[in-house]
Amino acid sequence: MKPLALALLGTLLAVCLLAGAPRDDARTHWAFQPPRRPAEPALRDSGWVRNPIDGFVLERLERAGLRPAPEADRATLIRRLSLDLLGIPPSLTEVDEFVHDPRPDAYERVADRLLASPHYGERWGRHWLDLARYADSNGYTIDGARSIWKYRDWVIDALNRDLPFDQFTICQIAGDMLPGATVDQQIATGFHRNTLRNEEGGTDQEQFRIDAVADRLNTTGAVFLGLTVGCARCHDHKYDPISQREYYQMFALLNNADEPTLSVPTSQQAKESPALIAEIAEAEKRLAMVDENSATRQAAWERLLTGRRDVEWTVLDPIEFRSRGGATIRKLADGSLLVAGTIPERDTYTVVAGVPPGDITAVRLEALTDDSLPRRGPGLAANGNFVLSEFSVRAGGDPVAGEQAAQVLEITQAVADHSQAKYPIEAAADKNPQTGWAINTADGKLNTDRTAVFVLAASPPAPAGDAEPADGRRWTFTLEQQHAAARYSIGRLRLSVTNASRDVVRLPPDVRAALAIAPAERSDEEQKRIAAEFRKTDSERMPVAARVAELKQLHEQLKASVTTTLVMRERAEPRETYVHFRGDFLRPGERVEPAVPAALPPLEPAGTAPNRLDLARWLVDPRNPLTARVTINRIWQRHFGAGLVATENDFGSQGERPTHPELLDWLATEFMARGWSLKAMHRLIVTSASYRQSSRFRADLHAVDPNNKLLGRQARLRLEAEVIRDVALSAGGLLATEIGGPGVYPPQPEGVYRFTQVPKYWKEVQGPDRYRRGMYTYFWRSSPQPFLTTFDAPDGNVTCTRRVRSNTPLQALTLANDRAFFEIAQALAARVLREAPVTDDQRIRHAFRLCLAREPQEGEASQLTRFLAAERAQRADPAAESAPRAAAEPRGDGSPEDTAAWVALARVLLNLDEFITRE
């Protein structure tokens, strides 16, 4: 055999061994074995131990010849505990009470109080929302808004109620399938409605539905099983015992859900809606009776119009015409006006023309095509469309030319030969520049002449004597074109007037044509059009119809005010699921039935075929070796900075082994034994001696265990993005403590949405909502609030099992200069000046404790005193050198310069590393 062939064969064998061997070994991997409750270890010295957790930790330290760190001081402990359990710092009163509490169970009392706080659900709900990839928008480039905050509030409430984790899981995976599912249980299924949704035109919605189901499966695998199941979407997993076929068997369990929107009315709204529906039904019944008896009235109406169906229009000859935006307007031989030149984004046309004598009853506006216009027009937009925001008529003067005596003529009705959906002709005469008339069509026949008629209430009498100009009365016509999209203006237009009867002129042309046909010869469609037009003027019908419209509008307003949320709902007929060749949904292979990987305990369906509810129950089945371990490991990670298994999202063969395997199994079995109570496990962990250790650096520990895997001290953890802002708001006395509700819009830098495909809504809120906790900030996936991304908040596109912690100059610049933080610094300075005695040392001490809970050391206080003096001197005389006085000397004179110095000091405190760190 040639050397090249031998080399290729060797490579092939190596690849086969690499791909195959780990899969065989993985079936005996520790994580796939049921957790067994280990005996508590024997220790040389158990005096440090407060609960079984400490025994496992101490045993590992003793084996390494190490001792645990001493307990942190009480101010540090209560700040640590409050930040970990609530995400907000303790008040100074709470600090003082704990520091001076002599009772032996003082710490446990604090833990119990914090676990009972409603803010506990907010803190741990924020952690869960990371896993659930929660966001307030749909994602992708359009990234439209969605209403799903009810799910976020359900999570907070469930955690506050200490809903057992097994029920917490089942409700979120399949709450809609529980017998007699409550509204809350349906809301909980929003967990898997947090997937992205593509709203772009031309996309294959089935492709993105498949992607959403895959995301649900991958998220379920990461969150509950700690496995990278997504690796098996295109091929057999290279390292763990999950084949591609097994991937799609699990996929099938999640493939049978529809994605409806659930209305969640208040109790009052729930009462009002049925009453309104009943009233609408009664009003519609009365309206039907009126219509049944309308034949005689319609016949009389048709006789009234006999002989008056023709309308003669007089084309106006424009005398003056202008474009406010600077476009060029040219008059053509047929009296029309053609717009050209430099086309502004928005424009207003003014046309002055003489009108003939007599009672002018209506004005006709023709939007005409022309070869010079985009796609022949009649508009100037790229597709030939336009949006006429407002059309108005003035008689007797020209306001553009400075003649202010013009009389505005009332338009009572507007009709057109065609209006685009949601852009009716009536919108061009509603005195609202945000609406307008446009002419696009569903069938693509956009580029054609269009006509609109504006019926006038009355025209002013002709001037007396010889005052009337030779060219007739001068009227001014104004066409406002203020649509948000650029260049949606009319490209060619022509104006005409008539003195025909208003009853006739308001008829659409097709109705006039139908009326000219003998009744017996009219088609069904012509009869319907005539009847529909008659009903608009039927004096007996109009008040009844108006009442129906009013009631329906009230009902629509009621429905619009009802909160909605996104939920899952199982289909009556399940979808068929196939293996996708290389993960391509367009290349289906073998059909598969719902199942779970063979390496894990079997799924036992309650019915004839496994479904999503069976999957939910399987996840929290005590025989499942993964869920309890993965969940408790993630809780441990939050309290110690790293999990007992560092790769918290990968318990497979490529993940790291547990640093304390016996402790992990003991905690997992304890978790299930305590009824899956999350609060019980939090209390167990935070009351351990291991948790209470000081986080100070230890040279002896670093030499043996530089990464602190043996837990010889606590970890210093930089706070998460939302918590940093919450802690600052708390220090400044601004934090609003209301729980739940829709997302809010606190301050953020200008120009955030200049680079998004679609500008986003962000109306900066005032009042208490301005200072809500960070978890309530409205989260746009394509453009999150910059502060959140600066401090490593996840983007909500995929599940986040552990946030990264970066350290960048931008973070310090943000804390110092972001206008929201400057506002907080001002509030902190005002609070210090308001609450503390007037001496500098007392105020500095108060400010320091508000930010860090502890007392400042002598050197820290001295530095801050010198800084304050320098700031005062700089503001009093920029050229002067600072000359600090005795710290006990009263200094707060209330001057703007003095207040500014305190604001500068507050900015320093808010930018300290310790301030944004949990010690």
Side-chain angles (χ1 to χ4, degrees):
M1 187 176 288
K2 294 181 179 180
L4 178 59
L6 285 171
L8 290 173
L9 179 61
T11 301
L12 180 61
L13 288 171
V15 170
C16 292
L17 289 171
L18 183 64
R23 279 184 49 77
D24 295 334
D25 295 342
R27 296 182 185 277
T28 59
H29 184 57
W30 67 267
F32 295 100
Q33 311 309 311
R36 288 180 170 82
R37 192 174 183 85
E40 295 181 26
L43 303 168
R44 292 194 296 270
D45 179 10
S46 60
W48 178 75
V49 174
R50 291 183 178 272
N51 67 37
I53 289 174
D54 302 324
F56 293 101
V57 172
L58 185 57
E59 189 271 337
R60 288 287 283 113
L61 288 170
E62 286 182 346
R63 272 197 281 150
L66 297 169
R67 294 292 299 167
E71 186 169 290
D73 64 86
R74 284 203 164 190
T76 298
L77 280 178
I78 191 171
R79 187 173 190 266
R80 175 191 299 170
L81 197 59
S82 187
L83 290 173
D84 279 356
L85 294 182
L86 305 186
I88 52 178
S91 68
L92 296 189
T93 300
E94 291 168 340
V95 174
D96 290 338
E97 288 176 351
F98 174 59
V99 167
H100 299 103
D101 189 343
R103 292 174 293 186
D105 63 344
Y107 180 85
E108 287 75 9
R109 288 172 178 266
V110 172
D112 289 338
R113 174 176 59 79
L114 296 177
L115 287 168
S117 168
H119 300 303
Y120 160 83
E122 291 179 309
R123 171 56 169 162
W124 286 87
R126 178 62 266 177
H127 289 317
W128 187 260
L129 295 180
D130 281 3
L131 301 174
R133 64 268 193 244
Y134 176 87
D136 295 298
S137 65
N138 291 327
Y140 295 106
T141 54
I142 292 179
D143 197 28
R146 64 170 47 166
S147 174
I148 197 170
W149 59 267
K150 278 287 185 181
Y151 167 74
R152 181 240 291 143
D153 287 5
W154 178 87
V155 170
I156 294 172
D157 179 67
L159 293 174
N160 278 331
R161 290 187 287 115
D162 198 23
L163 183 67
F165 186 77
D166 56 347
Q167 297 179 40
F168 184 72
T169 298
I170 291 170
C171 286
Q172 292 183 87
I173 300 296
D176 60 303
M177 300 177 69
L178 291 170
T182 65
V183 170
D184 275 357
Q185 288 168 335
Q186 294 177 66
I187 291 172
T189 63
F191 175 79
H192 271 328
R193 287 302 310 279
N194 283 311
T195 49
L196 279 66
R197 176 171 174 258
N198 196 331
E199 303 164 276
E200 298 174 19
T203 57
D204 185 334
Q205 290 305 308
E206 179 63 8
Q207 174 189 351
F208 289 98
R209 189 195 70 80
I210 291 291
D211 285 348
V213 177
D215 174 75
R216 288 168 189 146
L217 176 53
N218 300 344
T219 298
T220 301
V223 171
F224 298 99
L225 303 176
L227 294 177
T228 56
V229 297
C231 293
R233 184 178 181 183
C234 301
H235 50 71
D236 289 355
H237 202 295
K238 297 300 183 186
Y239 305 107
D240 294 333
I242 307 171
S243 68
Q244 187 186 24
R245 187 175 191 278
E246 288 174 325
Y247 178 90
Y248 285 99
Q249 287 178 318
M250 294 186 73
F251 187 100
L253 291 163
L254 296 168
N255 196 28
N256 299 323
D258 286 331
E259 302 179 349
T261 298
L262 177 69
S263 293
V264 191
T266 63
S267 56
Q268 181 61 33
Q269 290 169 334
K271 293 177 184 176
E272 290 178 3
S273 184
L276 262 177
I277 291 173
E279 193 171 355
I280 289 171
E282 185 61 32
E284 287 181 329
K285 188 185 298 184
R286 293 197 301 272
L287 185 61
M289 292 177 63
V290 171
D291 287 343
E292 286 177 7
N293 300 309
S294 65
T296 302
R297 299 192 304 277
Q298 180 174 333
W301 173 74
E302 290 187 35
R303 287 194 299 272
L304 182 66
L305 295 174
T306 299
R308 298 161 53 190
R309 294 176 189 138
D310 295 331
V311 177
E312 294 183 1
W313 294 98
T314 301
V315 175
L316 300 182
D317 183 19
I319 302 169
E320 299 177 28
F321 31 89
R322 308 178 188 88
S323 157
R324 182 183 296 171
T328 301
I329 301 181
R330 180 165 58 94
K331 183 167 68 172
L332 304 183
D334 62 355
S336 66
L337 299 174
L338 181 64
V339 183
T342 302
I343 307 301
E345 292 189 354
R346 278 155 284 282
D347 208 347
T348 299
Y349 302 158
T350 303
V351 180
V352 180
V355 299
D359 180 20
I360 302 299
T361 57
V363 178
R364 182 180 68 182
L365 167 66
E366 294 173 274
L368 304 172
T369 55
D370 190 89
D371 290 340
S372 67
L373 301 176
R375 301 189 67 175
R376 299 194 71 247
L380 292 166
N383 63 351
N385 201 359
F386 62 83
V387 178
L388 178 62
S389 306
E390 202 67 26
F391 181 84
S392 61
V393 184
R394 294 174 176 84
D398 181 359
V400 175
E403 301 174 21
Q404 300 302 319
Q407 176 186 347
V408 178
L409 303 185
E410 180 186 358
I411 296 173
T412 60
Q413 189 176 353
V415 294
D417 59 353
H418 169 73
S419 293
Q420 180 178 327
K422 299 184 180 179
Y423 290 85
I425 182 58
E426 293 83 0
D430 62 359
K431 298 182 174 59
N432 181 1
Q434 304 304 315
T435 62
W437 174 48
I439 60 168
N440 210 340
T441 61
D443 59 9
K445 296 179 180 179
L446 162 62
N447 309 107
T448 187
D449 296 345
R450 290 299 181 190
T451 300
V453 173
F454 300 91
V455 182
L456 304 177
S459 59
D466 298 326
E468 184 172 341
D471 53 6
R473 294 171 288 171
R474 280 194 170 194
W475 283 12
T476 302
F477 306 88
T478 304
L479 288 76
E480 296 279 356
Q481 293 148 126
Q482 304 299 324
H483 188 59
R487 299 178 182 85
Y488 268 71
S489 300
I490 297 176
R492 182 182 172 202
L493 64 115
R494 183 166 58 197
L495 295 168
S496 308
V497 296
T498 186
N499 56 10
S501 165
R502 288 178 173 82
D503 290 334
V504 174
V505 80
R506 63 168 52 99
L507 296 176
D510 59 336
V511 175
R512 286 200 299 273
L515 284 168
I517 301 172
E521 298 176 7
R522 294 170 186 162
S523 67
D524 290 343
E525 183 61 31
E526 288 166 339
Q527 290 175 348
K528 288 178 182 177
R529 287 291 292 116
I530 292 172
E533 196 63 33
F534 162 70
R535 287 196 290 268
K536 295 178 183 178
T537 62
D538 184 2
S539 59
E540 289 192 27
R541 187 182 196 277
M542 288 169 64
V544 183
R547 180 57 179 164
V548 171
E550 179 187 10
L551 290 172
K552 286 184 175 180
Q553 183 179 16
L554 288 172
H555 192 237
E556 288 301 315
Q557 291 172 348
L558 178 62
K559 288 196 296 184
S561 68
V562 172
T563 298
T564 61
T565 193
L566 306 179
V567 297
M568 304 279 279
R569 187 168 296 155
E570 196 74 353
R571 297 164 59 90
E573 291 294 327
R575 294 184 176 96
E576 294 181 349
T577 301
Y578 301 86
V579 174
H580 296 162
F581 183 72
R582 291 188 175 274
D584 184 353
F585 81 106
L586 295 175
R587 301 170 72 186
E590 176 190 6
R591 182 179 173 182
V592 294
E593 298 298 327
V596 295
L600 294 171
L603 185 150
E604 298 178 355
T608 56
N611 58 30
R612 186 160 40 95
L613 181 57
D614 296 318
L615 171 66
R617 289 170 171 158
W618 174 82
L619 288 171
V620 289
D621 189 314
R623 296 174 300 163
N624 189 318
L626 290 167
T627 302
R629 280 185 177 127
V630 169
T631 303
I632 204 66
N633 183 67
R634 202 163 284 134
I635 293 173
W636 187 273
Q637 172 185 272
R638 308 295 187 198
H639 287 304
F640 288 90
L644 297 169
V645 177
T647 52
E648 82 298 326
N649 64 341
D650 188 359
F651 274 48
S653 62
Q654 298 302 295
E656 293 192 20
R657 289 187 61 82
T659 57
H660 299 70
E662 294 82 7
L663 174 57
L664 179 62
D665 275 9
W666 187 88
L667 287 168
T669 56
E670 186 72 7
F671 187 26
M672 291 185 282
R674 295 196 182 205
W676 297 88
S677 169
L678 290 167
K679 284 190 176 183
M681 299 310 293
H682 284 302
R683 190 183 192 281
L684 184 67
I685 292 171
V686 302
T687 57
S688 68
S690 304
Y691 176 85
R692 301 191 211 187
Q693 294 178 94
S694 169
S695 63
R696 288 185 178 277
F697 174 82
R698 292 173 52 193
D700 64 324
L701 180 65
H702 183 74
V704 178
D705 181 24
N707 295 318
N708 194 32
K709 291 184 177 181
L710 302 182
L711 303 170
R713 63 179 178 87
Q714 249 292 4
R716 296 182 78 249
L717 304 175
R718 203 219 56 213
L719 302 176
E720 291 118 336
E722 298 89 341
V723 178
I724 290 173
R725 180 172 170 273
D726 294 348
V727 168
L729 289 170
S730 181
L734 297 174
L735 184 65
T737 56
E738 179 187 352
I739 295 174
V744 297
Y745 305 88
Q748 69 174 3
E750 297 291 337
V752 171
Y753 303 121
R754 288 177 187 165
F755 304 102
T756 58
Q757 178 172 326
V758 179
K760 306 303 181 190
Y761 174 87
W762 197 274
K763 186 176 182 180
E764 189 173 300
V765 68
Q766 303 297 328
D769 280 353
R770 188 179 183 87
Y771 309 116
R772 296 285 303 280
R773 294 193 66 169
M775 73 178 304
Y776 299 116
T777 297
Y778 198 96
F779 195 92
W780 293 103
R781 280 188 164 109
S782 64
S783 49
Q785 189 188 35
F787 177 83
L788 296 177
T789 55
T790 299
F791 285 94
D792 309 310
D795 58 16
N797 291 334
V798 295
T799 185
C800 175
T801 58
R802 178 174 56 88
R803 291 194 186 190
V804 299
R805 291 186 176 93
S806 65
N807 189 357
T808 69
L810 181 58
Q811 294 169 352
L813 291 169
T814 298
L815 293 176
N817 301 316
D818 183 89
R819 63 191 186 93
F821 265 77
F822 185 76
E823 183 179 339
I824 293 171
Q826 291 175 308
L828 174 57
R831 182 181 183 186
V832 170
L833 295 175
R834 181 175 65 251
E835 294 179 355
V838 296
T839 61
D840 284 351
D841 62 342
Q842 291 169 313
R843 284 179 170 171
I844 287 172
R845 173 178 173 271
H846 189 61
F848 199 91
R849 294 189 68 218
L850 286 173
C851 291
L852 303 178
R854 66 177 177 85
E855 295 280 353
Q857 298 175 3
E858 183 177 348
E860 294 168 331
S862 298
Q863 281 186 293
L864 290 172
T865 300
R866 289 194 298 272
F867 175 82
L868 183 65
E871 288 295 313
R872 283 177 173 148
Q874 180 68 20
R875 283 163 173 75
D877 181 2
E881 295 183 3
S882 61
R885 303 185 184 183
E889 181 180 346
R891 291 301 308 273
D893 57 13
S895 66
E897 294 79 11
D898 185 67
T899 301
W902 281 102
V903 171
L905 185 138
R907 294 172 73 189
V908 169
L909 292 175
L910 294 177
N911 210 340
L912 291 176
D913 175 70
E914 186 177 346
F915 178 74
I916 63 170
T917 300
R918 184 278 253 166
E919 294 287 349

